[in-house]
Amino acid sequence: MAEKILVENLVKKYGDNTVLNDITASINEGDVVCIIGPSGSGKSTFLRCLNRLEDPTSGAIIVDGADLTDKNTDINLVRQHIGMVFQHFNLFPHLSVLENITLAPTDLGKLSKADAEKRAIQLLETVGLAEKKDIYPDNLSGGQKQRVAIARALAMNPDIMLFDEPTSALDPEMVGDVLNVMKKLAKQGMTMVIVTHEMGFAKEVANRVMFIDGGSFLEDGTPQQIFENPQNDRTKDFLNKVL
Ligand code: ADP
Ligand code: MG
């Protein structure tokens, strides 16, 4: 399997606080990785380093052979291949659903307006929201907003998708629709790195679960290994609290 993301000796400090402590990890094409761990353990920081929304203190992050920490790497070009979905959707409130989705591909000259709209409508069909194309985000439920945010990220045809607690801000009845969209993506072979507290989803959809605590990955294995036979005491403690 082709290596998609390689993280080498990644350290991230905020002042004296070491948030990521010498992380080395490799993610293959088509991997669906769920990252689990307690609050404040460094999950979001790790994910944000993968598209350099955060600048690492030291170490290397290599995506498709391009070192994101190398000053000569065109970070904007690399980012075009990495979609990101946040807990709080971050849709543009002054743009319609359709405009939210067509903005990046048209602004960056990837697609004509007509082609971007065609693609956006296909994506809205995929996430089950074609009838909402002319609505503004304020008039959508949380779950609908998140599905639009996923469609928006997909509009750039990324080959990696990063999700940071995509269902944590949703009412429980909205969670399933969003997870189903993510499941569909996983089935299509998308490389996905997902920070989540949805252990059921991790068990069912991930091929790999990584447990992080105190800025280090303490355990990394199949869902079966992590959930049924965790080796590390901190993994066991964490799972006892959340399962
Ligand atoms: P998680 O997503 O696992 O809850 P985070 O990656 O958000 O954890 O945060 C890990 C640690 O880094 C926390 O102690 C947090 O306070 C700290 N941290 C995160 N972002 C910043 C920042 N921009 N400035 C200073 N400290 C930060
Ligand atoms: Mg977080």
Side-chain angles (χ1 to χ4, degrees):
M1 257 194 294
E3 186 169 71
K4 197 77 185 158
I5 303 171
L6 174 63
V7 176
E8 283 183 323
N9 303 111
L10 171 62
V11 174
K12 175 65 183 177
K13 297 183 187 195
Y14 292 109
D16 289 340
N17 186 11
T18 302
V19 172
L20 298 176
N21 190 5
D22 197 21
I23 288 178
T24 294
S26 155
I27 292 170
N28 287 327
E29 199 171 342
D31 266 351
V32 178
V33 179
C34 281
I35 296 179
I36 61 170
S39 178
S41 56
K43 303 182 297 296
S44 295
T45 306
F46 177 75
L47 208 63
R48 292 164 64 82
C49 282
L50 295 185
N51 63 358
R52 239 189 64 193
L53 284 178
E54 298 290 347
D55 271 322
T57 304
S58 61
I61 295 161
I62 296 153
V63 176
D64 277 328
D67 185 350
L68 270 56
T69 54
D70 183 334
K71 293 204 168 32
N72 296 318
T73 298
D74 182 349
I75 184 68
N76 289 317
L77 199 64
V78 177
R79 276 199 195 122
Q80 288 181 16
H81 300 279
I82 307 178
M84 181 141 185
V85 174
F86 303 89
Q87 185 176 352
H88 292 290
F89 331 122
N90 300 4
L91 294 176
F92 303 111
H94 61 292
L95 298 180
S96 70
V97 163
L98 196 72
E99 288 163 344
N100 263 280
I101 300 172
T102 57
L103 183 68
T106 52
D107 258 18
L108 293 166
K110 287 255 171 186
L111 293 175
S112 68
K113 188 163 180 266
D115 285 341
E117 288 186 354
K118 224 184 276 173
R119 172 85 179 125
I121 288 165
Q122 282 171 357
L123 288 167
L124 283 171
E125 281 164 2
T126 306
V127 302
L129 291 172
E131 79 285 4
K132 301 289 186 192
K133 70 181 175 65
D134 297 318
I135 299 286
Y136 284 77
D138 274 354
N139 298 311
L140 298 173
S141 71
Q144 291 170 336
K145 281 182 199 164
Q146 194 59 299
R147 285 184 281 151
V148 171
I150 293 172
R152 181 178 62 175
L154 291 172
M156 289 296 290
N157 274 330
D159 48 15
I160 298 172
M161 286 285 285
L162 309 177
F163 294 85
D164 193 355
E165 297 197 31
T167 60
S168 292
L170 302 180
D171 291 332
E173 73 270 25
M174 309 275 175
V175 170
D177 289 340
V178 172
L179 293 180
N180 279 335
V181 168
M182 293 167 64
K183 200 159 125 185
K184 220 189 265 186
L185 267 182
K187 282 209 177 119
Q188 289 165 7
M190 179 68 78
T191 306
M192 297 165 75
V193 186
I194 306 158
V195 173
T196 188
H197 297 292
E198 295 289 337
M199 300 298 154
F201 175 84
K203 273 183 202 168
E204 187 189 340
V205 182
N207 67 315
R208 193 167 158 199
V209 175
M210 296 168 72
F211 173 72
I212 186 171
D213 196 8
S216 301
F217 286 107
L218 300 182
E219 211 155 335
D220 178 351
T222 65
Q224 203 177 5
Q225 284 167 339
I226 303 295
F227 292 117
E228 288 169 25
N229 192 19
Q231 299 298 308
N232 189 290
D233 284 343
R234 274 144 86 186
T235 317
K236 290 178 196 168
D237 274 354
F238 176 75
L239 292 174
N240 278 333
K241 282 179 195 143
V242 299
L243 287 178

